Amino acid sequence: MSVGVLIVGEVVDGGLHPTVRQLVNAAGQIDQDALLCLAVDDAFDVGALDCVRVGNVILLEHPNAADDGVGGVYSLVSELVCEAIERLQPSSVLIAKTDAGSVVSARVAARFAAGLAADCVDLTVNPSTGRVAVTRPVHGGSAFAVYEFAGDGLQVVSVRPGAFEADVAGGTPEVERIDLSGVSVSGAVPVLVETVSEAGEGIPLEQADVVVSGGRGLGGPEPFENLRELCGLLNAALGASRAACDAGWIDHSHQVGLTGKSISPTTYITVGVSGASQHMAGCSSARNIVAIDKDREANIFSHARYGVVGDWAKVLPAFTAAVAELAGKETP
Amino acid sequence: MLKIAVCAKQVPDTDIPPSQFKVDEDELQVIPPAGVPPIVNGFDMNAVEAALRLRDEGVECEIVIFSVGTAFALDVMKKPLAIGADRLVLVDDETSEALDALGTARVLAAAIEQDGGADLVLAGRQASDWDQGHVPIMLSELMSAPLVTLVRNLAMSAGGDSFEVERVAEGGFQRIECPMPAVMTVTNELGEARYANLRGIMAATRKRPETRTIADLGIGDVANDGKLAMTGLFVPVSESTVEFIEGEDEADAGRLLALRLREAKLI
Ligand SMILES: Cc1cc2nc3c(=O)[nH]c(=O)nc-3n(C[C@H](O)[C@H](O)[C@H](O)COP(=O)(O)OP(=O)(O)OC[C@H]3O[C@@H](n4cnc5c(N)ncnc54)[C@H](O)[C@@H]3O)c2cc1C
Ligand SMILES: Nc1ncnc2c1ncn2[C@@H]1O[C@H](COP(=O)(O)O)[C@@H](O)[C@H]1O
């Protein structure tokens, strides 16, 4: 059997990772009958597949498939996917550029000496060559590069999470099972000792309709208290630039950007954030950016819809007080 | 003695204002702004710091920096030496520009191998030029060594035969025990590299990099050519035009901003 596009989906907690439906849409740009493969164990809920619009779903079954994301740092999943590629001989493989997808895609590409286009935000078939072409942000989002595959070898594409809408059309794919319980990782593997969850503070960034972020311009950890107050009034999530996180003013789990969280709120308010391309990479799908910064030339203003040029220490308290008043509450 | 290889890449300075970032759309090249020296990729300096902290903890180790590239700025590439790394191996080769991640990983693997191998290979989580984060993963494939990505804390186990690692994960972190030899990628959560002191800088000035070409490594054709070709490179234009809210003073502007946002139904 030989197939066109093979989507490698990520499984979390016995269900589909949100990027799976995004990959379905991405695959649709180049192949209407893509196959979806998932590395699963017994606990996988097949019901989760009910409305996935793909040609077929192939379950790569292994008793430790779900364990691996934590132990082994995705080495077993990588083996399962390599085995699936061996058997199915796809022309292209599509994976999400998550932490797991980064490892799996790079391992697959190394194993098959394939071409690997990473972190793509657009996929097309070049009408004149018939080959797959991709667009991806580079240099922290300062530029975009377009690549086209050549030759006959395997093509591996990883897709930036959030770059494609999730598919909602739905379908009733046929499910096929491949027993890969005989596959193992050769050689030494890292062993997971424990997973420690660090309870995040406030509303999760990815889900918030309003996000308020602070940057280096705040000058220290204390002003984040002012932002917390504002977040409370606006029912907003609290974000930060990497500079603020690296300085230890706020936990890294609040970092927005290329190497932090990707957010897409309706309203994104930044205070003392200059708007470096790596920061903007995480909030480019925010619909309305509102910036407070003392530098009129700051890059954030070239992305913002509304801005105030000024010292946050003067602007923010008055802004917060006015917001409180509008909300019918008084600031304490 | 533990041998630690740190992979470090020379990249354009990321701290230039975005407006100064220019590309040549025909030559498909980034035009570095005049007079701004390159830097050692930020995450690679975090990786050097991780190695130095092992030494601080009493682990006897040799720390060797490996870099593949060309037109090296020596004073830049010597920065890891100035803060305590022992040696600098530069694979200086014009053809390295054309290597993809797999090609680069093959060269690094060969350079490390020729240098006697390593018990631990540290790299950055991604290089800030092409933002891929593939080279170390491929390196672990080529070396058949276990891989841990996104390391934020690294220590030697009590027995001295494995590493105790904290790895950043969604919603927290994972504690991992990793056998050696291993490949790890380091993230900025580990902490910034220390500053060089005068003595370190002087010592680094005296040290000479050990230079090789790809041919010196005796690995034949390393390129993973002809699989993927860049056909376009452009700087996006922002379509947004900002409406500056002004008032009698800064506080007034803040107040008016709230009113404007309410009017626009954004809050
Ligand atoms: C590979 C890579 C990945 C990265 N990933 C990320 C990422 O995920 N997220 C991220 O945010 N960054 C990331 N960065 C870092 C990024 O390049 C910038 O360094 C960082 O975003 C700058 O943070 P900042 O805007 O808070 O600080 P600065 O750039 O220093 O800006 C501070 C701003 O505050 C203003 N200011 C100063 N004082 C006041 C005042 N009193 N009142 C009002 N305004 C004031 C200044 O005018 C300035 O605009 C990454 C970098 C690299 C190389
Ligand atoms: N040319 C190179 N020389 C040395 N190390 C490199 C090179 N390219 C990549 N690396 C290492 O691999 C990491 C990830 O790079 P990349 O896969 O290019 O994003 C970097 O942070 C470096 O540690």
Side-chain angles (χ1 to χ4, degrees):
Chain A
M1 180 162 77
S2 156
V3 300
V5 173
L6 178 67
I7 302 170
V8 175
E10 196 171 329
V11 174
V12 275
D13 303 330
L16 300 182
H17 190 272
T19 52
V20 176
R21 283 169 204 282
Q22 299 167 13
L23 287 173
V24 168
N25 251 348
Q29 310 269 93
I30 50 175
D31 182 354
Q32 293 305 320
D33 298 305
L35 290 190
L36 168 65
C37 75
L38 300 161
V40 301
D41 63 7
D42 295 345
F44 181 74
D45 171 17
V46 189
L49 296 171
D50 259 2
C51 44
V52 179
R53 183 176 51 96
V54 284
N56 263 335
V57 178
I58 299 178
L59 299 182
L60 313 173
E61 295 185 312
H62 190 287
N64 304 117
D67 260 1
D68 180 73
V70 280
V73 193
Y74 322 118
S75 38
L76 177 59
V77 166
S78 301
E79 293 304 329
L80 298 175
V81 171
C82 284
E83 183 61 32
I85 292 170
E86 235 12 295
R87 295 192 187 196
L88 301 168
Q89 299 287 320
S91 59
S92 308
V93 172
L94 226 59
I95 308 186
K97 181 93 166 107
T98 54
D99 292 348
S102 297
V103 173
V104 176
S105 58
R107 281 197 188 279
V108 165
R111 202 71 66 85
F112 294 92
L116 170 54
D119 214 14
C120 302
V121 295
D122 195 21
L123 294 177
T124 50
V125 175
N126 179 339
S128 52
T129 59
R131 297 195 183 274
V132 175
V134 303
T135 305
R136 59 172 307 244
V138 294
H139 286 263
S142 297
F144 284 81
V146 183
Y147 294 86
E148 198 170 310
F149 283 99
D152 304 319
L154 180 67
Q155 308 177 342
V156 183
V157 177
S158 70
V159 175
R160 175 168 289 201
F164 288 84
E165 300 272 323
D167 176 66
V168 287
T172 41
E174 262 173 51
V175 180
E176 189 185 321
R177 293 166 188 274
I178 308 186
D179 176 11
L180 294 184
S181 55
V183 172
S184 63
V185 182
S186 62
V189 283
V191 178
L192 179 80
V193 180
E194 64 174 328
T195 300
V196 182
S197 60
E198 293 174 309
E201 154 200 341
I203 301 171
L205 276 167
E206 291 95 332
Q207 287 152 32
D209 199 41
V210 182
V211 174
V212 179
S213 274
R216 177 146 47 203
L218 291 180
E222 301 82 13
F224 276 92
E225 285 310 317
N226 303 40
L227 294 190
R228 287 188 176 95
E229 181 192 345
L230 182 58
C231 284
L233 292 168
L234 293 173
N235 202 19
L238 179 62
S241 72
R242 176 172 145 188
C245 299
D246 278 355
W249 301 342
I250 181 162
D251 190 76
H252 273 106
S253 58
H254 293 271
Q255 183 179 318
V256 170
L258 180 68
T259 48
K261 302 261 158 65
S262 282
I263 58 170
S264 44
T266 308
T267 308
Y268 184 41
I269 303 175
T270 68
V271 188
V273 173
S274 68
S277 56
Q278 292 90 352
H279 185 82
M280 301 319 295
C283 59
S284 56
S285 44
R287 254 170 295 146
N288 302 281
I289 296 179
V290 180
I292 299 172
D293 197 285
K294 71 170 187 194
D295 178 7
R296 184 175 287 266
E297 300 301 316
N299 187 56
I300 190 77
F301 290 127
S302 42
H303 298 270
R305 178 107 180 261
Y306 302 100
V308 171
V309 179
D311 181 358
W312 69 266
K314 302 211 175 73
V315 180
L316 189 63
F319 176 66
T320 307
V323 168
E325 200 168 305
L326 288 170
K329 294 181 210 157
E330 285 305 318
T331 40
Chain B
M1 188 161 64
L2 196 78
K3 167 100 167 274
I4 306 177
V6 183
C7 303
K9 186 178 191 190
Q10 175 175 303
V11 295
D13 191 349
T14 47
D15 265 347
I16 61 164
S19 58
Q20 279 189 34
F21 187 89
K22 301 259 156 50
V23 300
D24 183 330
E25 296 192 2
D26 299 318
E27 292 298 316
L28 303 176
Q29 273 169 4
V30 174
I31 307 169
V36 181
I39 58 169
V40 176
N41 182 45
F43 298 118
D44 304 355
M45 290 306 289
N46 296 124
V48 175
E49 176 63 25
L52 293 171
R53 287 188 193 172
L54 279 178
R55 176 179 284 166
D56 291 347
E57 292 302 311
V59 177
E60 253 190 86
C61 55
E62 183 186 35
I63 302 170
V64 188
I65 311 297
F66 289 86
S67 192
V68 180
T70 192
F72 283 111
L74 266 194
D75 47 337
V76 171
M77 292 313 295
K78 280 187 171 185
K79 275 192 126 178
L81 296 178
I83 59 173
D86 300 297
R87 289 163 46 222
L88 172 63
V89 176
L90 297 178
V91 182
D92 190 341
D93 201 306
E94 271 175 21
T95 63
S96 64
E97 303 267 274
L99 293 175
D100 68 354
L102 185 55
T104 305
R106 284 174 180 158
V107 174
L108 281 168
I112 293 168
E113 173 76 37
Q114 197 188 55
D115 199 66
D119 304 298
L120 174 62
V121 179
L122 295 174
R125 66 180 279 180
Q126 69 195 53
S128 58
D129 47 5
W130 304 101
D131 293 320
Q132 303 194 100
H134 291 158
V135 169
I137 300 167
M138 293 176 164
L139 195 55
S140 83
E141 271 286 317
L142 298 174
M143 296 174 60
S144 301
L147 166 78
V148 184
T149 53
L150 303 175
V151 170
R152 69 167 208 184
N153 196 18
L154 169 63
M156 194 80 155
S157 70
D161 55 354
S162 65
F163 300 104
E164 286 171 2
V165 193
E166 277 178 26
R167 163 176 195 277
V168 174
E170 187 57 40
F173 68 94
Q174 297 171 342
R175 235 186 273 286
I176 285 175
E177 186 161 326
C178 186
M180 58 174 87
V183 178
M184 300 185 194
T185 75
V186 177
T187 176
N188 56 295
E189 277 90 336
L190 183 120
E192 281 171 38
R194 60 198 61 189
Y195 288 106
N197 58 28
L198 198 60
R199 226 183 76 213
I201 295 170
M202 295 303 289
T205 325
R206 282 191 299 271
K207 281 186 189 160
R208 297 230 265 150
E210 301 156 43
T211 325
R212 301 146 179 39
T213 63
I214 293 175
D216 290 340
L217 299 173
I219 39 171
D221 190 15
V222 289
N224 188 39
D225 275 353
K227 309 266 161 81
L228 192 67
M230 195 193 290
T231 56
L233 184 66
F234 61 94
V235 172
V237 272
S238 164
E239 281 132 36
S240 162
T241 39
V242 61
E243 175 183 333
F244 281 115
I245 311 289
E246 326 227 341
E248 283 166 23
D249 55 21
E250 288 166 306
D252 194 39
R255 189 181 64 83
L256 292 174
L257 176 66
L259 298 181
R260 185 74 184 90
L261 295 184
R262 171 51 65 93
E263 193 189 345
K265 299 195 166 60
L266 294 186
I267 57 171

